[in-house]
Amino acid sequence: MSNTKSLLTIKDLHASVEEKQIIKGLDLDIKPGEVHAIMGPNGAGKSTLGYVLSGRDGYSVDSGSVTLDGEDLLEMETEDRARAGLFLAFQYPVEIPGVSNLEFLKASVDAQRQARGEDAITSADFLKEAKAACKQVNLPVAFLKRGVNEGFSGGEKKRNELMQMLLLKPKLCILDETDSGLDIDALQVVAEGVNSQRSADRSFIVVTHYQRLLDYIKPDFVHVLSDGKIVKSGDASLALELEAQGYAWLQKEPAEDELEG
Amino acid sequence: MTEQIDKALAREYEAGFVSDVESETFEPGLDENVIRRISEMKGEPEWMLEWRLSAFREWLEMEEPEWALVDYPKIDFQSISYYSAPKSMKDKPKSLDEVDPELLRTYEKLGIPLIEQQMLAGIAVDAVFDSVSVVTTFREKLEEAGVIFCPISEAVHKYPDLVKKYIGSVVPKKDNYYAALNCAVFTDGSFVYIPKGIRCPMELSTYFRINEQNTGQFERTLIIADEGSHVSYLEGCTAPQRDENQLHAAVVELVAMDNAEIKYSTVQNWYPGDENGKGGIYNFVTKRGICHTNAKISWTQVETGSSVTWKYPSCILKGDNSVGEFYSVALTRGRQQADTGTKMIHIGKNTKSTIISKGISAGRSNNSYRGLVRMNPGAEGARNFTQCDSLLIGDQCGAHTFPYVESRNPSAIIEHEATTSKVSDEQMFLCRQRGLDPEKAVSMIVNGFCKEVFKELPMEFAVEAGKLLEISLEGSVG
Ligand SMILES: Nc1ncnc2c1ncn2[C@@H]1O[C@H](COP(=O)(O)OP(=O)(O)O)[C@@H](O)[C@H]1O
Ligand SMILES: [Mg+2]
């Protein structure tokens, strides 16, 4: 591969939740500007990977290393990883009652600006950006006033995640099944959101079960995660293959007699 | 997360400084003689002294209440001093220029400048320091509107008829142990009278400061809103950081005549004691208002301080169509204990009450809501709505809800909703994943939880209350 510096490098990562090892020797290298899709059966560890990378409490790394922009990611606090440009769009976004989306988003943006030594954004400027972001993800502007995810439908929550991504402008976006449960229109909104943000200095990990998202977001690489490891990697055509055949053929080594038929 | 919370619960109490003023303080101890001396210091008329003494005699016969879910060593009433006042106040300064600058500095440090030009426009302040009122601002301006706003000790002289008529009319002398004690030994507090049909042109507020060691503060506030009048009143409280507990036993009485409205807000930030529960204020307070026909009383409280709080601002809805409201945020941390809530007594027809209580418990604290809704037989068509929400931070704290409902009128409607939630790991993770540090995350989540109550506070104070929570929660997560 090219010799550009990697954005994210994961080497032989082993990680556990509640004493149970979930990630079992995972390697992944992502260069700036690349889009990697991760597919795989339920329970493979896809969400866990996102949590481990973003430093969620209770997810412990047993061995291996992860660097973001050459920095040791695993040494950083959760909020410092975010400030360094890592963003996770949650599979199941949580509600924060009474805290308006706008207030939450501005506080987040300001915290990240502050970490970069910049001043807080003015309320007027932020409101303008937030309204534009709403429009882009097709959420009514009134959602800025509502409590974070409070009473949002599944699809609205996902679009709200995307809106946060648009405003925070991260370097590495991890989208955890942002397409699940969306109708085709909403799916296109997500795809367009991602495509509009694709750039030479922003990379994506897109966790999905469905080829149909990848029809819109053309990934540079597709990986299959199974039982805590990447068991197969390829280009976009791998996703088509998976769609046709499912994951079973990748999950365990075929037995001798099966081969002999 | 719990571990981090425990580790980091230490925080600065910003109001914990001591002012260096020379005070005249009574020797500790309580007997009739002490009461006579208090009355003498205030130059009170005979009827006031007699009233105090009769309350004292009642108090001697009463028992300290033990039903609240709070635990503290028995108070030795003989070890408390019942009067302390800066010496400089002895000659009753006539204007601000004559007030000891150290006293003015104290309030300035607390964010309450008493120089009118520097004050928030539209807010008049009565500043009570230990047992005396230091200054009451904007009095002339208020007098133009016919509004009386002065220390109660002064009202006893200047408006004896009003005081005589209403003092003890809402909270009877022997209402409860601490109220009776207050009647016997109260020192100062505010008196407000809003004449008929007048909308008070400014927010009124009283700022209570305990400074002297080993003294109790027994303040007494009486607010009378005559027919069709309207007033918004706010009180704030702080005290130095000391290892000994100090007693604060106040009585507040509100009278809302026909068609009158009183909005009473409290931001209570007495010293809460240290992490191990050493020191802090015992805040044993009786607050009650009576509503005549079509009148409305609204209590809003933000309680973040005190080591023990025992407080139930209540409404007697005597007149038909009268309205009572209680909005409360009570935050406890460390070893703080709060047993707070309200009583809504529906007597008149079509009376309405709303109770919104938000309890937040962190550390090893205990936070109880205790509320009574009573529908008397005559309360045709009365309604109550109660919502009690508890938020837990960490898993070593306690939240309790004790709702009491007595309905003697079948047409009355009582609704009660209660929830308990935690600041969840998921919420914390979401906030931190977006770049917020844990403290900011907790304070934002807690502020969101309190939103319905904060929106009831006068604007300037809503901001202050939000900040207060932020300071209170500083260091509550690692
Ligand atoms: N908090 C947890 N405690 C115990 N096991 C967990 C926890 N979170 C996830 N797991 C387990 O880890 C495995 C991987 O889960 P997850 O990462 O959510 O998979 P995926 O996102 O690929 O469907 C599953 O077996 C799941 O049960
Ligand atoms: Mg998942």
Side-chain angles (χ1 to χ4, degrees):
Chain A
M1 277 212 257
S2 73
N3 51 12
T4 8
K5 263 175 63 188
S6 296
L7 176 66
L8 181 78
T9 305
I10 305 176
K11 285 200 178 127
D12 198 26
L13 182 68
H14 290 74
S16 329
V17 192
E18 301 192 349
E19 320 259 295
K20 185 175 155 203
Q21 194 164 88
I22 310 290
I23 304 295
K24 303 174 179 169
L26 188 143
D27 294 272
L28 187 63
D29 191 80
I30 299 182
K31 301 254 187 305
E34 290 177 353
V35 176
H36 291 240
I38 294 185
M39 306 183 82
N42 286 328
K46 302 184 295 296
S47 293
T48 302
L49 177 62
Y51 293 150
V52 170
L53 293 180
S54 45
R56 181 168 184 168
D57 279 354
Y59 288 73
S60 54
V61 172
D62 305 318
S63 63
S65 68
V66 182
T67 58
L68 181 76
D69 253 349
E71 302 271 333
D72 183 350
L73 191 70
L74 302 178
E75 279 298 306
M76 296 185 209
E77 293 290 347
T78 311
E79 55 273 24
D80 292 328
R81 299 182 194 198
R83 294 165 187 172
L86 185 149
F87 178 89
L88 174 66
F90 290 82
Q91 183 175 0
Y92 304 109
V94 64
E95 298 187 2
I96 309 182
V99 177
S100 81
N101 234 343
L102 191 69
E103 179 188 354
F104 174 71
L105 284 167
K106 182 162 188 311
S108 304
V109 167
D110 283 343
Q112 298 208 10
R113 289 171 71 106
Q114 198 185 359
R116 293 193 296 264
E118 298 167 22
D119 287 340
I121 187 167
T122 67
S123 298
D125 286 348
F126 185 71
L127 189 63
K128 218 188 294 167
E129 282 191 30
K131 281 180 172 171
C134 268
K135 197 164 174 206
Q136 194 175 343
V137 301
N138 204 12
L139 275 179
V141 173
F143 275 67
L144 291 173
K145 289 238 166 108
R146 290 179 48 180
V148 177
N149 294 319
E150 203 178 348
F152 290 18
S153 73
E156 287 162 353
K157 284 183 180 168
K158 297 296 181 73
R159 277 180 276 162
N160 202 35
E161 294 292 293
L162 209 64
M163 176 166 74
Q164 295 172 39
M165 182 186 89
L166 296 180
L167 289 168
L168 288 167
K169 306 184 179 72
K171 276 189 208 157
L172 175 66
C173 310
I174 306 171
L175 307 185
D176 191 357
E177 296 201 27
T178 303
D179 56 332
S180 289
L182 296 187
D183 60 30
I184 192 76
D185 291 341
L187 189 84
Q188 278 181 4
V189 167
V190 170
E192 277 160 24
V194 171
N195 288 334
S196 74
Q197 296 301 297
R198 275 176 101 147
S199 76
D201 51 11
R202 180 170 297 130
S203 311
F204 290 83
I205 295 176
V206 179
V207 174
T208 182
H209 282 297
Y210 304 107
Q211 168 58 33
R212 54 178 197 167
L213 179 68
L214 304 180
D215 288 340
Y216 298 104
I217 303 174
K218 301 255 178 309
D220 300 303
F221 299 92
V222 174
H223 309 278
V224 179
L225 184 67
S226 177
D227 194 22
K229 283 195 280 278
I230 289 183
V231 294
K232 193 160 179 71
S233 297
D235 60 16
S237 67
L238 176 58
L240 289 168
E241 215 173 316
L242 291 167
E243 173 114 312
Q245 302 189 31
Y247 301 115
W249 60 285
L250 290 166
Q251 268 172 304
K252 47 180 187 282
E253 294 297 316
E256 294 281 313
D257 50 343
E258 266 180 299
L259 281 182
E260 281 162 13
Chain B
M1 204 170 97
T2 323
E3 221 173 88
Q4 296 170 315
I5 292 166
D6 268 3
K7 194 179 78 198
L9 263 167
R11 63 125 185 178
E12 287 287 318
Y13 176 70
E14 292 197 335
F17 63 91
V18 180
S19 306
D20 186 15
V21 290
E22 228 187 307
S23 285
E24 173 164 13
T25 305
F26 283 9
E27 285 294 305
L30 181 59
D31 55 22
E32 291 203 2
N33 218 6
V34 167
I35 293 164
R36 284 176 201 282
R37 279 177 67 206
I38 293 172
S39 189
E40 197 183 302
M41 295 296 289
K42 306 261 169 200
E44 285 177 350
E46 189 62 23
W47 62 266
M48 196 72 253
L49 174 62
E50 283 311 318
W51 194 78
R52 289 176 178 275
L53 290 173
S54 75
F56 181 64
R57 287 166 202 144
E58 308 258 27
W59 179 74
L60 288 174
E61 305 294 312
M62 294 170 81
E63 300 272 341
E64 199 169 344
E66 281 174 356
W67 42 264
L69 195 65
V70 291
D71 185 25
Y72 56 93
K74 266 226 159 332
I75 297 172
D76 176 4
F77 291 94
Q78 296 305 331
S79 71
I80 298 171
S81 163
Y82 289 82
Y83 185 89
S84 176
K87 282 202 172 134
S88 62
M89 293 305 296
K90 191 124 194 198
D91 323 318
K92 300 211 168 55
K94 298 271 173 304
S95 73
L96 266 183
D97 306 340
E98 293 175 26
V99 174
D100 177 0
E102 180 64 21
L103 289 173
L104 297 180
R105 260 198 300 281
T106 300
Y107 287 91
E108 205 173 294
K109 243 165 126 176
L110 295 167
I112 329 276
L114 297 174
I115 316 286
E116 292 188 2
Q117 293 77 5
Q118 298 172 4
M119 292 187 52
L120 284 169
I123 302 169
V125 179
D126 183 13
V128 177
F129 191 90
D130 289 329
S131 306
V132 289
S133 168
V134 176
V135 158
T136 310
T137 63
F138 290 114
R139 285 173 65 165
E140 278 103 65
K141 186 165 178 210
L142 290 166
E143 271 161 29
E144 280 168 31
V147 171
I148 302 170
F149 179 41
C150 69
I152 197 158
S153 55
E154 190 182 317
V156 169
H157 295 281
K158 282 178 134 177
Y159 313 101
D161 296 344
L162 283 172
V163 175
K164 224 189 259 183
K165 181 167 177 194
Y166 290 109
I167 196 167
S169 71
V170 188
V171 178
K173 270 182 287 189
K174 45 190 268 189
D175 185 79
N176 68 71
Y177 191 74
Y178 301 110
L181 177 63
N182 176 288
C183 291
V185 301
F186 78 89
T187 42
D188 227 331
S190 301
F191 175 82
V192 176
Y193 173 79
I194 317 287
K196 272 184 198 169
I198 294 296
R199 204 180 169 88
C200 184
M202 322 180 80
E203 297 270 346
L204 305 183
S205 71
T206 304
Y207 199 90
F208 295 99
R209 175 72 177 171
I210 298 179
N211 189 60
E212 193 61 29
Q213 208 155 359
N214 294 327
T215 45
Q217 195 180 49
F218 303 92
E219 98 246 3
R220 184 136 198 139
T221 293
L222 175 57
I223 300 179
I224 303 150
D226 214 329
E227 288 173 24
S229 69
H230 180 287
V231 62
S232 170
Y233 176 93
L234 181 121
E235 61 170 357
C237 350
T238 58
Q241 192 157 343
R242 299 193 191 278
D243 287 348
E244 306 80 32
N245 294 105
Q246 274 177 288
L247 177 61
H248 170 259
V251 170
V252 174
E253 295 178 282
L254 310 184
V255 179
M257 308 295 271
D258 293 356
N259 301 304
E261 183 173 341
I262 302 175
K263 188 171 172 59
Y264 191 107
S265 313
T266 304
V267 175
Q268 185 264 106
N269 185 26
W270 294 120
Y271 177 56
D274 72 5
E275 286 328 298
N276 303 315
K278 201 169 168 105
I281 303 291
Y282 294 153
N283 189 35
F284 301 150
V285 171
T286 305
K287 291 183 168 172
R288 193 175 304 154
I290 185 161
C291 283
H292 294 280
T293 306
N294 290 324
K296 176 174 172 183
I297 289 179
S298 183
W299 297 101
T300 305
Q301 59 173 26
V302 176
E303 304 275 320
T304 63
S306 299
S307 56
V308 180
T309 293
W310 180 100
K311 180 182 170 189
Y312 316 90
S314 303
C315 297
I316 300 168
L317 302 172
K318 182 162 178 254
D320 292 350
N321 308 314
S322 58
V323 176
E325 294 175 341
F326 174 74
Y327 300 100
S328 170
V329 164
L331 170 85
T332 54
R333 303 165 300 110
R335 301 271 180 166
Q336 277 178 283
Q337 309 174 62
D339 194 299
T340 184
T342 184
K343 287 190 255 182
M344 293 291 176
I345 311 297
H346 293 252
I347 299 170
K349 292 194 188 76
N350 298 317
T351 44
K352 266 210 301 235
S353 63
T354 304
I355 300 171
I356 309 278
S357 160
K358 305 275 180 176
I360 302 133
S361 341
R364 293 160 182 265
S365 68
N366 246 317
N367 200 325
S368 305
Y369 167 81
R370 189 181 302 275
L372 167 70
V373 177
R374 179 188 296 155
M375 301 295 187
N376 276 15
E380 276 302 306
R383 296 194 70 139
N384 161 265
F385 173 74
T386 300
Q387 185 183 325
C388 277
D389 298 324
S390 309
L391 184 70
L392 305 172
I393 303 175
D395 52 14
Q396 288 174 295
C397 51
H400 317 272
T401 310
F402 303 101
Y404 305 89
V405 171
E406 297 170 11
S407 186
R408 305 207 191 98
N409 186 310
S411 72
I413 299 173
I414 299 172
E415 286 174 88
H416 183 96
E417 286 175 12
T419 65
T420 300
S421 50
K422 288 192 90 153
V423 172
S424 71
D425 289 353
E426 279 98 345
Q427 289 170 330
M428 287 298 288
F429 178 52
L430 167 60
C431 293
R432 296 179 68 190
Q433 209 303 302
R434 297 308 185 239
L436 299 172
D437 56 45
E439 267 111 22
K440 175 74 187 165
V442 174
S443 82
M444 198 156 77
I445 294 166
V446 170
N447 263 295
F449 174 76
C450 300
K451 190 171 239 169
E452 288 156 281
V453 173
F454 284 171
K455 76 176 196 324
E456 297 298 328
L457 286 171
M459 248 271 274
E460 299 82 352
F461 301 112
V463 176
E464 192 177 315
K467 279 200 208 123
L468 191 59
L469 278 195
E470 218 156 291
I471 297 165
S472 295
L473 286 163
E474 220 160 76
S476 69
V477 257

